[in-house]
Amino acid sequence: QGALKASDRIIEPYFIEPAAPGHSSYVIAYCHNADAIRVFKVERIEGIEVTAEPYTIPAGFDANEYLKGAWGIVVEGEQQTVRLKFSPEIARLMAETIWHPSQVMEKQGDGSVIMTLTVFRTPELATWIMGWGDRVEVLEPKGLREEVSRTASAMVNVYRRRGRT
């Protein structure tokens, strides 16, 4: 993907959200260009000009509600039920940590734990899952399971090719 071209925007900031994984901050704002709420990464903003135009944050806007299905900051697509099985070696860590407000944890007889989430399926989620390596298995949805499997196979191929040189 090529770099997006900068554009002038008039926005009405509603909330600033720090995101630990990318060491970034985001502004959730009403965007006049899009006529919708959008999320802007602070580090991508090239310049700011404060206008004299007043605005009011809608009384019904709740940042926690807006972000509830997000794994990180991306709020797009349809929320899905995601089920992940974590191996016994990391089951305790997974169970004692709140990774997402929707998570439900089920301890299994073999010492593993199954985490069920309701989230938007985003690259952030897939990357987080793959970061646990072979200690996690995507049980559902099928499309996410296939995506992680394809990526894992592609990674193996990279290392096999490079190992021959």
Side-chain angles (χ1 to χ4, degrees), residues 10-144:
I10 297 173
I11 66 170
E12 299 174 0
Y14 290 178
F15 191 79
I16 297 175
E17 173 72 9
H23 302 285
S24 300
S25 293
Y26 295 84
V27 176
I28 300 170
Y30 174 79
C31 176
H32 286 261
N33 294 29
D35 192 25
I37 296 175
R38 294 286 188 255
V39 178
F40 299 92
K41 188 174 185 178
V42 171
E43 291 81 0
R44 290 186 186 151
I45 298 173
E46 295 179 5
I48 297 173
E49 180 182 324
V50 178
T51 69
E53 294 296 317
Y55 71 94
T56 303
I57 298 172
F61 179 78
D62 178 343
N64 290 324
E65 183 67 23
Y66 181 77
L67 293 169
K68 79 176 182 181
W71 187 269
I73 196 71
V74 178
V75 179
E76 60 187 36
E78 185 179 325
Q79 290 186 39
Q80 295 183 333
T81 298
V82 174
R83 294 184 70 236
L84 307 170
K85 182 176 182 179
F86 291 93
S87 68
E89 300 86 51
I90 61 169
R92 182 176 175 186
L93 169 66
M94 302 317 290
E96 70 188 10
T97 305
I98 298 174
W99 300 96
H100 191 269
S102 71
Q103 81 185 40
V104 175
M105 306 301 268
E106 301 170 62
K107 292 182 182 179
Q108 304 299 298
D110 64 358
S112 65
V113 66
I114 294 178
M115 175 191 290
T116 303
L117 308 158
T118 303
V119 294
F120 295 108
R121 199 172 114 196
T122 64
E124 293 170 302
L125 176 63
T127 299
W128 180 81
I129 292 168
M130 289 184 283
W132 293 105
D134 65 349
R135 295 169 292 176
V136 64
E137 178 185 0
V138 177
L139 301 178
E140 61 181 78
K142 183 180 177 184
L144 179 59

